[in-house]
Amino acid sequence: MSYETVLSQVKSAPEACLDEISDYISYVVYRYEQKKAAEEEPSPQLANAMLEALQTSKDPSVKGFSNTKELFEDLNT
């Protein structure tokens, strides 16, 4: 579909529908940006941080917590 076709359709819509059309367009652009962002590779810094977090989570010598209450209790002691 071309811009001209879409523009023609928008121009033929009643003016009362323009806010709704704008909302649809915003939503479609938002979905496109989300999909594009999901396909991007993480930065090297983020990838390293994710790898470090994964390794830390599997390290039995690192203390872990099952919930935030346990974490704060440990912090306050």
Side-chain angles (χ1 to χ4, degrees), residues 45-57:
Q45 183 180 7
L46 177 59
N48 288 336
M50 293 168 67
L51 181 59
E52 182 180 349
L54 182 60
Q55 291 168 342
T56 301
S57 71

Side-chain angles (χ1 to χ4, degrees), residues 33-69:
E33 290 170 352
Q34 293 297 309
K35 182 179 176 185
K36 185 176 172 185
E39 293 172 352
E40 292 178 3
E41 296 274 331
S43 69
Q45 183 180 7
L46 177 59
N48 288 336
M50 293 168 67
L51 181 59
E52 182 180 349
L54 182 60
Q55 291 168 342
T56 301
S57 71
K58 294 180 179 181
D59 184 347
S61 68
V62 176
K63 188 171 185 177
F65 302 95
S66 59
N67 58 53
T68 54
K69 182 179 178 184

Side-chain angles (χ1 to χ4, degrees), residues 7-77:
L7 186 57
S8 173
Q9 290 174 342
V10 170
K11 285 181 177 182
S12 68
E15 192 169 334
C17 298
L18 293 180
D19 285 339
E20 190 173 356
I21 292 169
S22 178
D23 290 343
Y24 284 122
I25 292 170
S26 295
Y27 177 69
V28 169
V29 171
Y30 167 79
R31 278 186 28 208
Y32 172 78
E33 290 170 352
Q34 293 297 309
K35 182 179 176 185
K36 185 176 172 185
E39 293 172 352
E40 292 178 3
E41 296 274 331
S43 69
Q45 183 180 7
L46 177 59
N48 288 336
M50 293 168 67
L51 181 59
E52 182 180 349
L54 182 60
Q55 291 168 342
T56 301
S57 71
K58 294 180 179 181
D59 184 347
S61 68
V62 176
K63 188 171 185 177
F65 302 95
S66 59
N67 58 53
T68 54
K69 182 179 178 184
E70 288 180 13
L71 169 67
F72 283 109
E73 286 174 355
D74 187 67
L75 288 172
N76 292 327
T77 57

